[in-house]
Amino acid sequence: MADITASSVKSLREKTGAGMMECKKALVEAAGNEEQAIDILRKHGLASARKKEGRIAAEGAVGSYIHMGGKVGVLVEVNCETDFVARGEEFQQLVKDIAMHIAAAEPRYVSKDEVSAEDIDKEREIAGAAAKNDPKNANKPDQVIAKIVEGRINKFYEEAVLLDQPFVKDPAKTVGELVTEKVAKTGERITIRRFSRYKMGEGLQKRGEDFGDEVASLLG
């Protein structure tokens, strides 16, 4: 079996827009040959998602999820290109699944683009201090500490960014990869525009554009 590296998977993902797991599987099947892996992804309809990113997603649906007897409530807006897809069972189930995931996983951002430079600098500072204060890292060179810090930053993204979180119903894929799969199946661009998560006794958590009073109306 060919040695499939993280960089080769990343390269294939950037060229095709397919999910990380799909790219790795394609590279394994193609014995590491990137061009053959692209052909494999295209045959499965997974290599066209990237081409759809520039198209306008002006339709969609707002989904809701209430958990723990009304203690946690979520609103999420997911967009697609046509009303036909928006009304379809595949898309409606995706919206429900994402709302449920937000209730369970408590993301702080929709995508990495929403994470401010200040937030990342703060996380990097905390991770750096923690790495240096860990007795296990004593006498380790700076470049090793730097790699540990970057690993913790990647972990921060996995924990805080919706699209990078492992999907609660199938942790083998991220929410972003789930969306990419639906793009391949529907043939349309799909984006998560915004969400609001409300928990009794805590403040309202919002990402993307403000839902206004919609959350209060939902929870009554």
Side-chain angles (χ1 to χ4, degrees):
M1 182 184 297
D3 182 22
I4 307 303
T5 64
S7 60
S8 64
V9 173
K10 180 181 178 182
S11 174
L12 182 60
R13 186 182 188 188
E14 290 174 348
K15 292 180 179 180
T16 64
M20 294 292 286
M21 294 301 294
E22 287 81 6
C23 288
K24 184 175 181 179
K25 290 177 183 177
L27 283 167
V28 170
E29 185 177 342
N33 186 294
E34 186 177 81
E35 291 303 318
Q36 291 181 21
I38 291 173
D39 289 341
I40 291 168
L41 290 171
R42 289 181 64 191
K43 289 176 182 177
H44 287 85
L46 297 174
S48 59
R50 179 74 63 182
K51 298 176 182 178
K52 298 179 177 67
E53 289 186 356
R55 285 155 48 175
I56 297 173
E59 296 291 341
V62 173
S64 63
Y65 184 80
I66 305 296
H67 189 54
M68 296 175 60
K71 300 297 184 181
V72 176
V74 169
L75 280 179
V76 61
E77 179 179 345
V78 185
N79 295 140
C80 58
E81 295 180 48
T82 66
D83 182 58
F84 174 77
V85 166
R87 289 185 283 107
E89 182 178 347
E90 189 92 30
F91 184 83
Q92 289 292 324
Q93 185 61 51
L94 173 65
V95 176
K96 291 178 183 178
D97 283 344
I98 292 173
M100 179 204 64
H101 174 95
I102 292 169
E106 303 184 43
R108 293 165 53 188
Y109 313 90
V110 174
S111 68
K112 288 180 181 178
D113 293 339
E114 288 187 353
V115 185
S116 69
E118 291 79 7
D119 285 347
I120 290 298
D121 287 343
K122 180 179 178 181
E123 292 297 327
R124 185 169 278 111
E125 180 182 352
I126 293 171
K132 290 178 181 178
N133 291 329
D134 189 337
K136 294 184 297 184
N137 296 328
N139 302 319
K140 288 185 178 178
D142 290 343
Q143 56 265 36
V144 173
I145 297 296
K147 288 183 178 180
I148 293 173
V149 170
E150 288 309 308
R152 292 184 178 177
I153 293 298
N154 289 333
K155 185 66 175 177
F156 164 76
Y157 284 133
E158 291 177 9
E159 293 175 349
V161 177
L162 175 59
L163 293 175
D164 286 72
Q165 289 180 328
F167 179 41
V168 292
K169 291 176 68 174
D170 183 1
K173 69 179 72 172
T174 66
V175 173
E177 289 169 342
L178 173 68
V179 171
T180 298
E181 287 179 0
K182 301 307 178 184
V183 169
K185 287 184 178 181
T186 64
E188 292 194 1
R189 183 187 180 205
I190 296 175
T191 59
I192 302 173
R193 181 180 178 188
R194 53 181 175 165
F195 71 82
S196 293
R197 185 181 185 277
Y198 186 92
K199 184 175 182 179
M200 291 295 295
E202 298 182 5
L204 176 64
Q205 181 183 10
K206 298 176 289 186
R207 281 296 161 186
E209 296 179 23
D210 194 353
F211 270 110
D213 296 327
E214 294 173 71
V215 172
S217 299
L218 170 68
L219 298 178

